[in-house]
mmCIF file of all heavy atoms in Angstrom:
data_model
loop_
_atom_site.group_PDB
_atom_site.id
_atom_site.type_symbol
_atom_site.label_atom_id
_atom_site.label_comp_id
_atom_site.label_asym_id
_atom_site.label_seq_id
_atom_site.Cartn_x
_atom_site.Cartn_y
_atom_site.Cartn_z
ATOM 1 N N ASP O 63 -65.148 49.146 -40.048
ATOM 2 C CA ASP O 63 -66.378 48.955 -39.297
ATOM 3 C C ASP O 63 -67.209 50.229 -39.224
ATOM 4 O O ASP O 63 -66.705 51.340 -39.403
ATOM 5 C CB ASP O 63 -66.064 48.442 -37.889
ATOM 6 C CG ASP O 63 -65.343 49.478 -37.048
ATOM 7 O OD1 ASP O 63 -64.556 50.256 -37.614
ATOM 8 O OD2 ASP O 63 -65.553 49.510 -35.829
ATOM 9 N N ALA O 64 -68.505 50.023 -38.967
ATOM 10 C CA ALA O 64 -69.450 51.139 -38.822
ATOM 11 C C ALA O 64 -69.747 51.315 -37.336
ATOM 12 O O ALA O 64 -70.531 50.553 -36.763
ATOM 13 C CB ALA O 64 -70.722 50.842 -39.595
ATOM 14 N N PRO O 65 -69.139 52.290 -36.686
ATOM 15 C CA PRO O 65 -69.317 52.431 -35.233
ATOM 16 C C PRO O 65 -70.732 52.853 -34.862
ATOM 17 O O PRO O 65 -71.469 53.428 -35.671
ATOM 18 C CB PRO O 65 -68.298 53.519 -34.863
ATOM 19 C CG PRO O 65 -68.099 54.304 -36.118
ATOM 20 C CD PRO O 65 -68.235 53.316 -37.245
ATOM 21 N N LEU O 66 -71.102 52.563 -33.630
ATOM 22 C CA LEU O 66 -72.374 52.995 -33.063
ATOM 23 C C LEU O 66 -72.081 53.742 -31.767
ATOM 24 O O LEU O 66 -72.520 53.360 -30.681
ATOM 25 C CB LEU O 66 -73.286 51.794 -32.815
ATOM 26 C CG LEU O 66 -73.809 51.081 -34.063
ATOM 27 C CD1 LEU O 66 -74.516 49.787 -33.688
ATOM 28 C CD2 LEU O 66 -74.740 51.985 -34.862
ATOM 29 N N ASP O 67 -71.321 54.809 -31.901
ATOM 30 C CA ASP O 67 -70.832 55.540 -30.728
ATOM 31 C C ASP O 67 -71.601 56.818 -30.429
ATOM 32 O O ASP O 67 -71.514 57.344 -29.315
ATOM 33 C CB ASP O 67 -69.351 55.902 -30.919
ATOM 34 C CG ASP O 67 -68.471 54.679 -31.088
ATOM 35 O OD1 ASP O 67 -68.808 53.627 -30.499
ATOM 36 O OD2 ASP O 67 -67.468 54.762 -31.811
ATOM 37 N N THR O 68 -72.340 57.339 -31.408
ATOM 38 C CA THR O 68 -72.978 58.642 -31.226
ATOM 39 C C THR O 68 -74.496 58.511 -31.238
ATOM 40 O O THR O 68 -75.062 57.498 -31.666
ATOM 41 C CB THR O 68 -72.560 59.609 -32.350
ATOM 42 O OG1 THR O 68 -73.130 59.170 -33.589
ATOM 43 C CG2 THR O 68 -71.042 59.669 -32.485
ATOM 44 N N VAL O 69 -75.149 59.573 -30.790
ATOM 45 C CA VAL O 69 -76.616 59.607 -30.790
ATOM 46 C C VAL O 69 -77.148 59.494 -32.211
ATOM 47 O O VAL O 69 -78.122 58.773 -32.469
ATOM 48 C CB VAL O 69 -77.107 60.909 -30.128
ATOM 49 C CG1 VAL O 69 -78.628 61.051 -30.290
ATOM 50 C CG2 VAL O 69 -76.731 60.946 -28.655
ATOM 51 N N ASP O 70 -76.503 60.171 -33.157
ATOM 52 C CA ASP O 70 -76.966 60.127 -34.547
ATOM 53 C C ASP O 70 -76.813 58.727 -35.143
ATOM 54 O O ASP O 70 -77.671 58.275 -35.910
ATOM 55 C CB ASP O 70 -76.195 61.136 -35.401
ATOM 56 C CG ASP O 70 -76.570 62.578 -35.081
ATOM 57 O OD1 ASP O 70 -77.648 62.791 -34.493
ATOM 58 O OD2 ASP O 70 -75.782 63.484 -35.417
ATOM 59 N N GLN O 71 -75.727 58.053 -34.798
ATOM 60 C CA GLN O 71 -75.536 56.698 -35.313
ATOM 61 C C GLN O 71 -76.594 55.749 -34.770
ATOM 62 O O GLN O 71 -77.099 54.892 -35.494
ATOM 63 C CB GLN O 71 -74.124 56.210 -34.959
ATOM 64 C CG GLN O 71 -73.026 56.905 -35.761
ATOM 65 C CD GLN O 71 -71.636 56.694 -35.191
ATOM 66 O OE1 GLN O 71 -71.480 56.242 -34.048
ATOM 67 N NE2 GLN O 71 -70.624 57.004 -35.971
ATOM 68 N N TRP O 72 -76.957 55.902 -33.520
ATOM 69 C CA TRP O 72 -78.026 55.073 -32.959
ATOM 70 C C TRP O 72 -79.384 55.468 -33.532
ATOM 71 O O TRP O 72 -80.248 54.611 -33.745
ATOM 72 C CB TRP O 72 -78.044 55.199 -31.437
ATOM 73 C CG TRP O 72 -77.066 54.274 -30.789
ATOM 74 C CD1 TRP O 72 -75.836 54.583 -30.308
ATOM 75 C CD2 TRP O 72 -77.225 52.872 -30.586
ATOM 76 N NE1 TRP O 72 -75.212 53.462 -29.814
ATOM 77 C CE2 TRP O 72 -76.039 52.393 -29.969
ATOM 78 C CE3 TRP O 72 -78.249 51.966 -30.856
ATOM 79 C CZ2 TRP O 72 -75.868 51.065 -29.620
ATOM 80 C CZ3 TRP O 72 -78.075 50.633 -30.515
ATOM 81 C CH2 TRP O 72 -76.892 50.192 -29.911
ATOM 82 N N ALA O 73 -79.583 56.763 -33.791
ATOM 83 C CA ALA O 73 -80.856 57.214 -34.357
ATOM 84 C C ALA O 73 -81.099 56.609 -35.728
ATOM 85 O O ALA O 73 -82.245 56.392 -36.133
ATOM 86 C CB ALA O 73 -80.875 58.740 -34.442
ATOM 87 N N ALA O 74 -80.021 56.286 -36.452
ATOM 88 C CA ALA O 74 -80.160 55.687 -37.780
ATOM 89 C C ALA O 74 -80.750 54.278 -37.712
ATOM 90 O O ALA O 74 -81.181 53.732 -38.739
ATOM 91 C CB ALA O 74 -78.802 55.642 -38.471
ATOM 92 N N LEU O 75 -80.808 53.692 -36.518
ATOM 93 C CA LEU O 75 -81.368 52.349 -36.359
ATOM 94 C C LEU O 75 -82.865 52.373 -36.050
ATOM 95 O O LEU O 75 -83.489 51.311 -35.949
ATOM 96 C CB LEU O 75 -80.652 51.603 -35.240
ATOM 97 C CG LEU O 75 -79.134 51.453 -35.353
ATOM 98 C CD1 LEU O 75 -78.607 50.642 -34.175
ATOM 99 C CD2 LEU O 75 -78.741 50.794 -36.671
ATOM 100 N N GLU O 76 -83.464 53.556 -35.910
ATOM 101 C CA GLU O 76 -84.853 53.649 -35.471
ATOM 102 C C GLU O 76 -85.826 52.969 -36.422
ATOM 103 O O GLU O 76 -86.858 52.443 -36.000
ATOM 104 C CB GLU O 76 -85.238 55.116 -35.287
ATOM 105 C CG GLU O 76 -84.608 55.775 -34.074
ATOM 106 C CD GLU O 76 -85.047 57.213 -33.900
ATOM 107 O OE1 GLU O 76 -85.868 57.675 -34.737
ATOM 108 O OE2 GLU O 76 -84.599 57.867 -32.944
ATOM 109 N N ASP O 77 -85.529 52.984 -37.714
ATOM 110 C CA ASP O 77 -86.442 52.395 -38.698
ATOM 111 C C ASP O 77 -86.330 50.878 -38.793
ATOM 112 O O ASP O 77 -87.061 50.250 -39.565
ATOM 113 C CB ASP O 77 -86.187 53.001 -40.081
ATOM 114 C CG ASP O 77 -86.580 54.466 -40.166
ATOM 115 O OD1 ASP O 77 -87.413 54.892 -39.339
ATOM 116 O OD2 ASP O 77 -86.058 55.175 -41.040
ATOM 117 N N TRP O 78 -85.427 50.297 -38.025
ATOM 118 C CA TRP O 78 -85.205 48.855 -38.088
ATOM 119 C C TRP O 78 -85.666 48.194 -36.803
ATOM 120 O O TRP O 78 -85.424 48.698 -35.713
ATOM 121 C CB TRP O 78 -83.726 48.559 -38.346
ATOM 122 C CG TRP O 78 -83.233 49.178 -39.607
ATOM 123 C CD1 TRP O 78 -82.492 50.321 -39.730
ATOM 124 C CD2 TRP O 78 -83.466 48.715 -40.937
ATOM 125 N NE1 TRP O 78 -82.241 50.590 -41.050
ATOM 126 C CE2 TRP O 78 -82.830 49.618 -41.823
ATOM 127 C CE3 TRP O 78 -84.147 47.616 -41.475
ATOM 128 C CZ2 TRP O 78 -82.865 49.461 -43.204
ATOM 129 C CZ3 TRP O 78 -84.186 47.465 -42.850
ATOM 130 C CH2 TRP O 78 -83.544 48.370 -43.699
ATOM 131 N N GLU O 79 -86.314 47.027 -36.936
ATOM 132 C CA GLU O 79 -86.812 46.316 -35.773
ATOM 133 C C GLU O 79 -85.757 45.400 -35.158
ATOM 134 O O GLU O 79 -85.740 45.192 -33.947
ATOM 135 C CB GLU O 79 -88.042 45.487 -36.173
ATOM 136 C CG GLU O 79 -89.213 46.370 -36.601
ATOM 137 C CD GLU O 79 -90.247 45.591 -37.394
ATOM 138 O OE1 GLU O 79 -90.053 44.377 -37.625
ATOM 139 O OE2 GLU O 79 -91.253 46.206 -37.803
ATOM 140 N N ASP O 80 -84.917 44.823 -36.006
ATOM 141 C CA ASP O 80 -83.871 43.904 -35.546
ATOM 142 C C ASP O 80 -82.551 44.271 -36.215
ATOM 143 O O ASP O 80 -82.517 44.531 -37.426
ATOM 144 C CB ASP O 80 -84.211 42.454 -35.894
ATOM 145 C CG ASP O 80 -85.525 42.000 -35.295
ATOM 146 O OD1 ASP O 80 -85.666 42.088 -34.062
ATOM 147 O OD2 ASP O 80 -86.414 41.575 -36.054
ATOM 148 N N VAL O 81 -81.491 44.271 -35.434
ATOM 149 C CA VAL O 81 -80.146 44.535 -35.950
ATOM 150 C C VAL O 81 -79.183 43.599 -35.227
ATOM 151 O O VAL O 81 -79.219 43.510 -33.995
ATOM 152 C CB VAL O 81 -79.711 45.997 -35.721
ATOM 153 C CG1 VAL O 81 -78.346 46.254 -36.355
ATOM 154 C CG2 VAL O 81 -80.739 46.979 -36.280
ATOM 155 N N ALA O 82 -78.350 42.912 -35.979
ATOM 156 C CA ALA O 82 -77.395 41.988 -35.361
ATOM 157 C C ALA O 82 -76.164 41.859 -36.244
ATOM 158 O O ALA O 82 -76.202 42.141 -37.440
ATOM 159 C CB ALA O 82 -78.025 40.624 -35.134
ATOM 160 N N GLU O 83 -75.067 41.421 -35.612
ATOM 161 C CA GLU O 83 -73.804 41.229 -36.328
ATOM 162 C C GLU O 83 -73.317 39.791 -36.152
ATOM 163 O O GLU O 83 -73.584 39.153 -35.133
ATOM 164 C CB GLU O 83 -72.710 42.157 -35.780
ATOM 165 C CG GLU O 83 -72.905 43.616 -36.053
ATOM 166 C CD GLU O 83 -71.741 44.439 -35.514
ATOM 167 O OE1 GLU O 83 -70.743 43.848 -35.013
ATOM 168 O OE2 GLU O 83 -71.819 45.669 -35.577
ATOM 169 N N PHE O 84 -72.569 39.323 -37.149
ATOM 170 C CA PHE O 84 -71.872 38.046 -37.040
ATOM 171 C C PHE O 84 -70.723 38.035 -38.042
ATOM 172 O O PHE O 84 -70.638 38.912 -38.913
ATOM 173 C CB PHE O 84 -72.818 36.862 -37.276
ATOM 174 C CG PHE O 84 -73.602 36.934 -38.558
ATOM 175 C CD1 PHE O 84 -73.073 36.470 -39.750
ATOM 176 C CD2 PHE O 84 -74.889 37.459 -38.558
ATOM 177 C CE1 PHE O 84 -73.794 36.527 -40.930
ATOM 178 C CE2 PHE O 84 -75.624 37.520 -39.740
ATOM 179 C CZ PHE O 84 -75.078 37.058 -40.927
ATOM 180 N N SER O 85 -69.862 37.057 -37.917
ATOM 181 C CA SER O 85 -68.683 36.945 -38.778
ATOM 182 C C SER O 85 -68.841 35.789 -39.752
ATOM 183 O O SER O 85 -69.429 34.759 -39.420
ATOM 184 C CB SER O 85 -67.421 36.729 -37.935
ATOM 185 O OG SER O 85 -67.202 37.812 -37.067
ATOM 186 N N LEU O 86 -68.302 35.976 -40.965
ATOM 187 C CA LEU O 86 -68.240 34.912 -41.960
ATOM 188 C C LEU O 86 -66.842 34.876 -42.555
ATOM 189 O O LEU O 86 -66.194 35.917 -42.694
ATOM 190 C CB LEU O 86 -69.253 35.136 -43.087
ATOM 191 C CG LEU O 86 -70.735 34.960 -42.777
ATOM 192 C CD1 LEU O 86 -71.566 35.204 -44.043
ATOM 193 C CD2 LEU O 86 -71.036 33.582 -42.206
ATOM 194 N N PHE O 87 -66.410 33.675 -42.914
ATOM 195 C CA PHE O 87 -65.135 33.493 -43.600
ATOM 196 C C PHE O 87 -65.411 33.269 -45.072
ATOM 197 O O PHE O 87 -66.184 32.375 -45.443
ATOM 198 C CB PHE O 87 -64.385 32.303 -43.013
ATOM 199 C CG PHE O 87 -63.106 31.986 -43.731
ATOM 200 C CD1 PHE O 87 -62.132 32.961 -43.916
ATOM 201 C CD2 PHE O 87 -62.871 30.720 -44.232
ATOM 202 C CE1 PHE O 87 -60.950 32.677 -44.582
ATOM 203 C CE2 PHE O 87 -61.689 30.413 -44.894
ATOM 204 C CZ PHE O 87 -60.729 31.403 -45.071
ATOM 205 N N ALA O 88 -64.807 34.107 -45.925
ATOM 206 C CA ALA O 88 -64.980 34.007 -47.369
ATOM 207 C C ALA O 88 -63.680 33.481 -47.986
ATOM 208 O O ALA O 88 -62.803 34.266 -48.356
ATOM 209 C CB ALA O 88 -65.339 35.366 -47.962
ATOM 210 N N PRO O 89 -63.514 32.157 -48.102
ATOM 211 C CA PRO O 89 -62.242 31.607 -48.590
ATOM 212 C C PRO O 89 -61.939 31.986 -50.033
ATOM 213 O O PRO O 89 -60.778 32.039 -50.429
ATOM 214 C CB PRO O 89 -62.429 30.092 -48.434
ATOM 215 C CG PRO O 89 -63.903 29.880 -48.409
ATOM 216 C CD PRO O 89 -64.475 31.094 -47.761
#
Side-chain angles (χ1 to χ4, degrees):
D63 67 327
L66 292 171
D67 300 329
T68 69
V69 172
D70 289 341
Q71 288 166 346
W72 276 101
L75 303 182
E76 288 182 1
D77 292 338
W78 302 101
E79 295 162 359
D80 301 304
V81 184
E83 291 182 5
F84 53 86
S85 299
L86 289 181
F87 176 54

